[in-house]
Amino acid sequence: QVQLAESGGGLVQAGGSLRLSCAASFRSCSNCVMSWFRQGPGKERDFVAAISWTSGRTEYVDSVKGRFTISRDNAKNTVYLQLNSLKPEDTAVYYCAARFAGFGNFRSLDYDYWGQGTQVTVSS
C-alpha cells in the first residue's frame, strides 16, 4: 500500500506562484510514474503533469507548459509541482497520483494511488 500526502496549496493572486509537494510512502519505485491531476469546480479530474521516477522524463498538458514544472527528489520520496504565472482558471483541487507501470496514457483510471488533494485558488 502506498500513501501520498500533498501540501503547499493556498490562495494566490493571478500571476503568482506556489509549490506543491507530494510525499510518498513507498520504499522503492523502480518503474513508477508520479503525476499531478486537478479538478476544478463542476469539472472532471484532469491530467496536469507526470514524471518518471527513474528517468526523470516529464509530460505536461498543453495549458500549463512553460508555467508549471514537475520534479522529484528521490532521496526524499517527494514529487513537486512548481506553479508559476498562475491564472484564475488554474483554480482547482490538485491531486498527486502514482502508478507502477510504463510512462504514457495519463488517464486517471490508470492510477492506483491517490493523495487527498490540496486546494489551489487563484484570484483575479
Side-chain angles (χ1 to χ4, degrees):
Q1 188 72 12
V2 175
Q3 293 183 332
L4 304 174
E6 303 99 333
S7 61
L11 173 64
V12 65
Q13 289 187 333
S17 298
L18 285 172
R19 189 176 81 156
L20 308 183
S21 299
C22 172
S25 66
F26 50 68
R27 291 190 176 186
S28 65
C29 189
S30 60
N31 67 334
C32 75
V33 176
M34 302 294 293
S35 298
W36 289 93
F37 287 76
R38 65 185 179 185
Q39 187 166 18
K43 298 182 180 180
E44 295 183 350
R45 190 172 298 188
D46 294 325
F47 169 76
V48 176
I51 188 166
S52 167
W53 196 258
T54 51
S55 71
R57 179 183 175 185
T58 60
E59 183 69 29
Y60 299 91
V61 67
D62 286 346
S63 60
V64 308
K65 287 180 179 177
R67 300 189 299 122
F68 293 5
T69 303
I70 189 170
S71 61
R72 90 277 196 220
D73 185 329
N74 296 51
K76 295 182 178 180
N77 279 3
T78 300
V79 175
Y80 304 98
L81 186 67
Q82 179 68 40
L83 292 70
N84 296 331
S85 302
L86 281 161
K87 305 175 181 180
E89 52 263 42
D90 294 318
T91 294
V93 177
Y94 283 70
Y95 295 92
C96 178
R99 71 172 196 226
F100 295 86
F103 197 79
N105 294 326
F106 305 110
R107 304 175 301 174
S108 58
L109 59 86
D110 293 324
Y111 286 77
D112 304 304
Y113 304 100
W114 292 85
Q116 80 287 353
T118 185
Q119 177 71 48
V120 171
T121 303
V122 184
S123 63
S124 57

